[in-house]
Amino acid sequence: MKGSKFHRSVFLKAILVPVFTLPAIIVFGQTDTSRTLHEVSVNANKALVVPSITPVQQINSQDFIKSGSFNVADAVRTLSGVNIKDYGGIGGIKTISVRGLGAGHTAVFYDGLQLNDAETGQIDLSKLSLINIRSITFYNGQPDNLLQPARAFAAASVLSLQTVPAQLGKEKAYEITAGVKGGSFGLFNPYVLYQQRLSKRWTAVVTNNYINANGRYKFDTPNDGSDTLSTRHNSQVRSLQTDAALYWNKNDSSLFSVHANFYNAKRGLPGAVVFYTESPGEKLDNDDIFLQASYKHIWKNSLQLLLNSKVSQLKARYLDSPYFNTQGYILQHYKQREAYQSAALSYNLTNNWAVYYAVDGSYTKVDADVYKYAYPSRFTLLNALASKLKFNRWELAGNLLHTYINEKVERGKALQQSPVLSPTLILGVQPFASKELKLRAFYKNIFRAPTLDELYYFAFVDRVIKPEFVNQYDLGATYNKDLNGLLSYVFLSTDVYYNNVRDKIIGIPSANPAVFSFSNIGRVDVKGLDFGLKTSTRNFGSWSLSLTANYTYQQALDVTDPALSTYLQQIAYTPKHTLALNTGINFKKLGIYYNQIISSKRNYNGDNDPEHDVPGYAVGDASILYNTSFEYLPLRLSVEANNIFDKYYAIIQSYPMPGRSYRLTMQITI
């Protein structure tokens, strides 16, 4: 939704910032006296399992390569329970929906603090690069760790991104990782990541990531009676993202970090293909910046303190041209500012019993040059009280979240929201003396307030919209066992769940198709099953094999009104079956991986009329990774082929996805 002309200076920053920063970093650091150690082969593999009594999945930088992922949206599409809405191409917006609840119910955290968008309530995952991401952890319900900001307890699920921290040995003063990606759609993506020891206690990490792509790709228009392929023309991207972090570590009990992140982009939003013709599409320019700081201290009496602060500004320019109005176009500017502060305390009453309290306050203001805009501001106060108790093989946790929202507008009527109490109860048990099998269950009551767009965007008449309330129920089990035969380990996880949504907020197109009318008229019942498998063979000489599989079954039924055609029908864009498979062969320094995503059909109208079906799809990706060295410096080469069977498909109706594409990467570490 938003863009002025992308200035040449942005491109220069992508080139000159690394060039000018590098000498300063090297001069400031000490002489590198590190020694290269001989490679040691370990003839064993083990599952990387995150300890948690809530359902959790984790992927890391090695998994990104195996799945052929370019951004966070690509990486998380392989997780069970996750549905990515992808509007096609490298420029298309990509949002996450978990267990049928919609993007507004998933909180995205970046190094412990939430990425917030009060205007739309959705985070575009295509804007988040994987260059500096060490791991992605996905929690259903909430994180298991008590010492979190209160916001971590205020969503139905949490997607937590952890960036690469400074990982320098005692004798190494700096490390530089530089690389370039290139391939289909005119992709040119140079990047650099610096790690620098500034002193005994201070370290720094700086990442620069530049992307330029024309986004053009061939696609097939189904049912047009011809074999002619069309070309996407409005999916171009040019972006620069810079992330800089400082870390201070006095000892393990006292940690401090500060993060600054800048994102500037100009891109085309690919439009819908209607009657075999691609609409001109829209242009969106982003100019986003945030600064966040975190401090953690642990006292000897087990008292822990966590302080988090953040300020952010999101600026966007949205252009839709040509457009059938008196002006011939739509041009809108948005500016969203937020100030956020959080404080959390935890204390161990006994060795097995911990208590926790956190308070978060945030203030958000949105300005826009939209006709008769309300200019809303929202103050949100969260208080969370939690406890965790372990005894024998049992683990019990619970929390109570209090949410207070105060809203003001310059025009119209502001939201009047009563304070809300949201309870959560979690239970884990190890039924046998052996630790392989663990059972878990949780109940969570949560809500989301209507977004500022839902309340005020083209609201010529005051809208009275209630929050969306969800009751979540989950029952699951994990089995993790190290083996001594052909397989090194096997890890299994399964969860059955039920989500009941009340006062669901829906948007209905008005006479102007670009403007929706929002209201509470929906109730949805979601029943589902998540299943995960991870295993790997032992190392036989220089060979090993790995397999990961994630399956999801979802029955998400509209139970709003028996008189409607959508009653007891699957809600829009929710497939009943999804399956993600990844298998790999490792031989010495070579890795060959294959990734398969399978999805059943979806219905874009919610009435399950076959004429409104979006066909299912099966897409395969392959990647080859080779680790070698150049002048004793680690060198990584990779080749990726996405959609290798050139399948033409769509995730969102009328937004075709790309066919076969290629990407090459060369990365060196100094």
Side-chain angles (χ1 to χ4, degrees):
M1 294 164 275
K2 317 153 184 172
S4 67
K5 209 168 185 180
F6 193 91
H7 299 293
R8 185 179 300 174
S9 61
V10 174
F11 175 78
L12 293 177
K13 288 178 184 177
I15 305 301
L16 296 181
V17 168
V19 172
F20 283 25
T21 307
L22 175 58
I25 289 178
I26 296 176
V27 170
F28 197 87
Q30 305 165 7
T31 303
D32 183 4
T33 58
S34 60
R35 294 178 298 170
T36 302
L37 301 179
H38 295 291
E39 183 177 306
V40 178
S41 298
V42 180
N43 191 33
N45 296 307
K46 290 189 176 182
L48 298 175
V49 180
V50 180
S52 177
I53 57 173
T54 56
V56 59
Q57 301 171 70
Q58 186 177 80
I59 50 180
N60 56 35
S61 56
Q62 296 300 315
D63 298 312
F64 305 157
I65 298 172
K66 295 177 182 179
S67 60
S69 300
F70 184 69
N71 51 43
V72 170
D74 295 337
V76 301
R77 65 183 176 146
T78 62
L79 302 177
S80 59
V82 168
N83 182 26
I84 297 295
K85 289 188 176 181
D86 192 329
Y87 288 82
I90 195 169
I93 292 174
K94 308 176 197 308
T95 62
I96 184 173
S97 177
V98 177
R99 293 184 172 183
L101 296 181
H105 283 284
T106 298
V108 180
F109 276 64
Y110 189 89
D111 277 344
L113 278 82
Q114 185 178 358
L115 300 174
N116 191 37
D117 190 331
E119 181 191 344
T120 66
Q122 304 182 76
I123 300 299
D124 180 7
L125 300 182
S126 70
K127 294 163 58 175
L128 301 173
S129 167
L130 294 171
I131 298 303
N132 67 329
I133 301 297
R134 178 179 62 172
S135 65
I136 300 176
T137 309
F138 173 63
Y139 300 91
N140 271 300
Q142 62 194 38
D144 184 66
N145 180 23
L146 280 186
L147 195 65
Q148 300 274 350
R151 276 182 169 179
F153 299 89
S157 57
V158 173
L159 187 68
S160 178
L161 313 180
Q162 188 68 44
T163 63
V164 176
Q167 298 174 314
L168 300 170
K170 293 182 179 180
E171 297 180 343
K172 191 168 187 179
Y174 69 90
E175 183 173 281
I176 305 167
T177 300
V180 60
K181 296 176 183 285
S184 302
F185 321 133
L187 175 66
F188 174 61
N189 174 207
Y191 61 89
V192 62
L193 186 150
Y194 308 103
Q195 300 181 45
Q196 174 70 50
R197 180 183 299 107
L198 304 178
S199 67
K200 181 179 179 181
R201 295 176 180 172
W202 288 93
T203 54
V205 178
V206 180
T207 307
N208 282 282
N209 183 49
Y210 175 76
I211 298 174
N212 189 1
N214 60 41
R216 295 174 187 167
Y217 60 89
K218 300 291 185 180
F219 67 92
D220 179 43
T221 303
N223 305 319
D224 69 349
S226 73
D227 296 327
T228 303
L229 297 179
S230 303
T231 302
R232 269 298 207 190
H233 289 97
N234 194 54
S235 189
Q236 67 275 12
V237 174
R238 189 177 295 172
S239 68
L240 170 67
Q241 189 165 39
T242 299
D243 187 275
L246 281 173
Y247 299 93
W248 177 80
N249 184 357
K250 182 178 180 181
N251 48 52
D252 291 340
S253 62
S254 192
L255 305 171
F256 172 77
S257 65
V258 59
H259 242 101
N261 187 282
F262 168 75
Y263 175 79
N264 188 295
K266 177 182 180 181
R267 55 180 171 159
L269 301 179
V273 178
V274 181
F275 296 115
Y276 324 124
T277 302
E278 180 183 9
S279 63
E282 304 113 306
K283 301 292 190 297
L284 176 64
D285 285 14
N286 294 102
D287 194 2
D288 305 340
I289 188 169
F290 69 76
L291 179 68
Q292 66 184 45
S294 180
Y295 174 72
K296 180 180 179 181
H297 187 80
I298 305 174
W299 284 271
K300 292 182 179 180
N301 62 357
S302 81
L303 179 66
Q304 298 186 54
L305 170 68
L306 178 64
L307 299 175
N308 288 296
S309 304
K310 183 174 183 177
V311 290
S312 64
Q313 177 177 275
L314 312 179
K315 293 175 65 177
R317 178 183 183 270
Y318 169 73
L319 174 66
D320 189 358
S321 177
Y323 191 82
F324 297 107
N325 59 8
T326 56
Q327 294 175 305
Y329 62 88
I330 295 176
L331 178 61
Q332 298 168 350
H333 298 82
Y334 300 82
K335 181 188 294 184
Q336 180 181 162
R337 295 176 177 175
E338 183 189 42
Y340 167 78
Q341 179 62 51
S342 171
L345 285 169
S346 72
Y347 182 70
N348 293 337
L349 297 175
T350 68
N351 290 335
N352 299 317
W353 186 12
V355 292
Y356 157 94
Y357 171 72
V359 57
D360 288 13
S362 65
Y363 175 80
T364 305
K365 181 76 168 67
V366 177
D367 296 326
D369 57 359
V370 177
Y371 180 64
K372 290 187 177 181
Y373 194 59
Y375 298 98
S377 61
R378 174 178 290 180
F379 173 73
T380 305
L381 182 66
L382 302 175
N383 286 272
L385 183 64
S387 183
K388 181 185 287 188
L389 177 64
K390 296 181 180 180
F391 54 97
N392 296 327
R393 300 173 188 166
W394 295 82
E395 190 169 354
L396 180 65
N399 59 267
L400 185 64
L401 175 72
H402 175 270
T403 303
Y404 169 79
I405 296 176
N406 181 266
E407 205 149 292
K408 294 181 179 180
V409 295
E410 297 180 14
R411 181 184 287 116
K413 185 178 181 180
L415 169 72
Q416 301 297 319
Q417 174 63 54
S418 301
V420 178
L421 287 175
S422 306
T424 300
L425 186 63
I426 308 169
L427 177 66
V429 60
Q430 178 186 310
F432 308 112
S434 172
K435 296 182 179 180
E436 284 91 357
L437 179 65
K438 294 182 179 179
L439 307 179
R440 62 194 179 202
F442 78 80
Y443 162 77
K444 184 180 181 74
N445 173 268
I446 201 62
F447 85 105
R448 79 162 182 91
T451 68
L452 299 182
D453 269 3
E454 290 168 342
L455 287 168
Y456 307 114
Y457 184 72
F458 279 97
F460 303 129
V461 178
D462 291 336
R463 296 173 184 158
V464 179
I465 303 180
K466 301 176 183 178
E468 226 178 68
F469 282 88
V470 180
N471 286 311
Q472 297 175 269
Y473 303 86
D474 182 281
L475 179 63
T478 61
Y479 181 79
N480 182 26
K481 186 175 179 60
D482 293 332
L483 304 173
N484 295 318
L486 173 65
L487 298 179
S488 176
Y489 71 89
V490 62
F491 174 75
L492 300 169
S493 68
T494 184
D495 287 88
V496 293
Y497 58 88
Y498 169 65
N499 295 332
N500 175 259
V501 185
R502 177 167 56 89
D503 291 329
K504 185 172 181 62
I505 302 171
I506 66 168
I508 302 174
S510 62
N512 182 348
V515 179
F516 280 64
S517 174
F518 295 94
S519 60
N520 299 98
I521 61 171
R523 291 180 56 235
V524 176
D525 278 349
V526 184
K527 299 174 183 177
L529 166 71
D530 290 343
F531 173 78
L533 163 68
K534 287 185 178 181
T535 189
S536 175
T537 66
R538 300 183 66 81
N539 290 348
F540 293 99
S542 302
W543 292 87
S544 67
L545 306 175
S546 63
L547 172 67
T548 300
N550 287 311
Y551 168 76
T552 297
Y553 170 79
Q554 278 190 94
Q555 183 190 68
L557 303 182
D558 185 337
V559 293
T560 302
D561 185 351
L564 298 177
S565 62
T566 57
Y567 184 68
L568 295 182
Q569 301 296 327
Q570 189 87 346
I571 62 176
Y573 290 115
T574 305
K576 284 191 175 181
H577 306 277
T578 56
L579 175 65
L581 297 170
N582 185 276
T583 184
I585 302 174
N586 296 291
F587 175 68
K588 295 183 178 180
K589 299 179 180 180
L590 179 69
I592 303 174
Y593 309 100
Y594 178 75
N595 193 68
Q596 180 81 46
I597 304 290
I598 302 172
S599 175
S600 63
K601 68 177 183 179
R602 289 131 290 132
N603 189 277
Y604 67 84
N605 208 34
D607 60 4
N608 281 31
D609 187 324
E611 293 185 0
H612 300 147
D613 281 348
V614 181
Y617 60 87
V619 179
D621 308 319
S623 57
I624 301 175
L625 172 67
Y626 183 68
N627 289 304
T628 183
S629 61
F630 175 76
E631 297 292 334
Y632 302 103
L633 300 175
L635 178 66
R636 172 181 291 179
L637 304 172
S638 66
V639 180
E640 301 165 44
N642 297 315
N643 194 358
I644 60 174
F645 300 113
D646 207 22
K647 299 292 184 180
Y648 295 103
Y649 69 105
I651 296 177
I652 303 297
Q653 174 68 10
S654 301
Y655 288 84
M657 297 292 290
R660 185 187 298 114
S661 64
Y662 302 94
R663 192 161 57 239
L664 288 81
T665 303
M666 181 177 68
Q667 176 180 295
I668 192 167
T669 301
I670 302 172

